[in-house]
Amino acid sequence: KGLLVAVERLLLQMAALLQDAHLVKANGDKVDASSLKGKLVALYFSAHWCPPCRQFTPTLKDVYEETSDKHNFQVVFVSSDDSQEAMKGYMNEAHGDWLAVSYDSPLRNELKRKYGACAGKEQQEVKVEERRSGIPALVVLQPDGAELCFDGTGELSASGPVAVKRWREKLSA
């Protein structure tokens, strides 16, 4: 029981990391960041114009649909698209029913700087000092916002839904 209380406390910290986030769904509905409480959260850095992103997104969508309820898994899209319209189009065309940081939210670029994941063409504009990954990048988070897994794209591509199960088990360990 003490472990469950500790895990719950950490999961509340995740909601705090994104508490001021303007989160949206593909249909434009706004979603309160408190909905992330208790979830395994992965930030998905991607863009429609990026061929490797368009190649990985269907894999992520399939895994998300299989694991979102079973493992309480939530993806939050952090767009590198060139416009809000391109972001919305990509979400409607290819994404799962996950959330996104609103295109006009300053948090979108703050997350790129914090985790060092962005498209090369935006690195200077976004002021990412240490670019650790291009896009696509899937960064799985611990409840306090620290990285649980930085190479989520690689792990998910190699292991599919098993990767999500392992991430959830790491949180419980």
Side-chain angles (χ1 to χ4, degrees):
K1 185 174 178 177
L3 176 63
L4 290 176
V5 171
V7 169
E8 181 67 21
R9 192 174 314 120
L10 288 172
L11 292 170
L12 286 171
Q13 292 173 355
M14 171 55 65
L17 172 73
L18 297 171
Q19 71 183 354
D20 295 327
H22 298 107
L23 300 177
V24 295
K25 296 194 80 130
N27 66 7
D29 287 351
K30 292 179 177 20
V31 178
D32 192 274
S34 66
S35 69
L36 298 175
K37 179 183 170 190
K39 298 199 182 270
L40 173 65
V41 176
L43 300 177
Y44 182 42
F45 299 88
S46 181
H48 184 264
W49 55 261
C50 164
C53 298
R54 288 195 316 272
Q55 183 177 359
F56 176 73
T57 299
T59 300
L60 177 59
K61 180 180 179 183
D62 289 346
V63 170
Y64 177 80
E65 288 173 354
E66 186 174 331
T67 63
S68 62
D69 290 334
K70 185 177 181 181
H71 294 294
N72 217 4
F73 179 54
Q74 182 57 260
V75 173
V76 177
F77 174 47
V78 182
S79 177
S80 287
D81 285 299
D82 295 324
S83 69
Q84 185 167 338
E85 293 73 29
M87 175 183 149
K88 285 182 181 180
Y90 184 31
M91 290 176 70
N92 285 316
E93 172 189 312
H95 284 208
D97 188 31
W98 54 68
L99 304 175
V101 175
S102 179
Y103 190 84
D104 58 0
S105 171
L107 181 63
R108 195 169 61 91
N109 289 337
E110 289 170 23
L111 291 169
K112 293 174 188 179
R113 285 189 292 273
K114 178 176 176 70
Y115 297 104
C118 68
K121 72 179 194 173
E122 66 181 346
Q123 183 175 355
Q124 278 191 310
E125 178 187 332
V126 175
K127 298 181 175 92
V128 174
E129 292 179 22
E130 183 186 343
R131 184 169 169 249
R132 299 170 55 209
S133 177
I135 56 173
L138 186 70
V139 180
V140 184
L141 303 179
Q142 294 182 43
D144 63 358
E147 296 166 19
L148 181 69
C149 173
F150 187 76
D151 185 25
T153 51
E155 289 191 19
L156 207 65
S157 294
S159 303
V162 173
V164 177
K165 181 180 183 225
R166 280 195 301 253
W167 297 331
R168 176 52 81 184
E169 288 169 350
K170 281 184 185 179
L171 279 184
S172 301

